[in-house]
């Protein structure tokens, strides 16, 4: 079975950095569209970033452009989300996801999900 295991969450001060990792088992990571989503209490899950399986190009929601970087390491079968210049509004549970749909921004189009990792940004 396909499994996604996340790590790297934690608590940081505003302006700090974290790197989230998502290791994929059961299938080569490069065959999936890999997405990053987040969900804060009382809010719906929102798209953060994704990497296309076809091109390897990363896409981002406007609020994280210039601060977050999604990447893929095929040798380690792992995707990463480097988060810099973190803000309190980035606080959420972050989920990685894998799918094969032509769409990469909608959570409903992904087939497999990680367990989530908490990111807290506060003074």
């Amino acid at each position: 079975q396909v499994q996604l295991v996340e790590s790297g969450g934690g608590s940081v001060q505003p302006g700090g950095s974290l790197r989230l990792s998502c290791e994929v088992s059961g299938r080569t990571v490069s065959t999936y569209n890999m997405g990053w989503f987040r969900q804060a209490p009382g809010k719906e899950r929102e798209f953060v970033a994704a990497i296309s399986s076809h091109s390897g190009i990363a896409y981002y929601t406007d609020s994280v452009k210039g601060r977050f970087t999604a990447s893929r390491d095929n040798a380690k079968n792992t995707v990463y989300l480097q988060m810099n210049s973190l803000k309190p509004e980035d606080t959420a549970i972050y989920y990685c996801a894998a799918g094969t749909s032509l769409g990469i921004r909608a959570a409903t189009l992904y087939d497999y999900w990680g367990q989530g990792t908490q990111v807290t940004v506060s003074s």
Side-chain angles (χ1 to χ4, degrees), residues 81-102:
L81 185 67
Q82 178 67 46
M83 304 184 294
N84 299 325
S85 301
L86 283 162
K87 304 175 180 179
E89 50 263 45
D90 295 318
T91 296
I93 300 175
Y94 283 70
Y95 299 89
C96 65
T100 57
S101 174
L102 293 176

Side-chain angles (χ1 to χ4, degrees), residues 70-88:
S71 61
R72 183 178 70 196
D73 188 331
N74 293 336
K76 296 181 179 180
N77 219 39
T78 300
V79 293
Y80 304 93
L81 185 67
Q82 178 67 46
M83 304 184 294
N84 299 325
S85 301
L86 283 162
K87 304 175 180 179

Side-chain angles (χ1 to χ4, degrees), residues 13-105:
Q13 297 183 65
S17 298
L18 287 172
R19 187 183 72 165
L20 306 183
S21 299
C22 178
E23 184 178 2
V24 179
S25 64
R27 188 170 175 176
T28 302
V29 69
S30 61
T31 65
Y32 284 118
N33 298 318
M34 296 298 304
W36 289 97
F37 294 80
R38 65 187 180 188
Q39 187 166 21
K43 298 182 179 180
E44 293 189 359
R45 190 168 300 186
E46 69 168 330
F47 169 79
V48 177
I51 300 175
S52 170
S53 65
H54 302 94
S55 64
I57 295 175
Y59 302 86
Y60 304 92
T61 191
D62 287 344
S63 64
V64 308
K65 287 181 179 178
R67 300 189 298 121
F68 290 11
T69 302
S71 61
R72 183 178 70 196
D73 188 331
N74 293 336
K76 296 181 179 180
N77 219 39
T78 300
V79 293
Y80 304 93
L81 185 67
Q82 178 67 46
M83 304 184 294
N84 299 325
S85 301
L86 283 162
K87 304 175 180 179
E89 50 263 45
D90 295 318
T91 296
I93 300 175
Y94 283 70
Y95 299 89
C96 65
T100 57
S101 174
L102 293 176
I104 60 175
R105 292 177 173 82

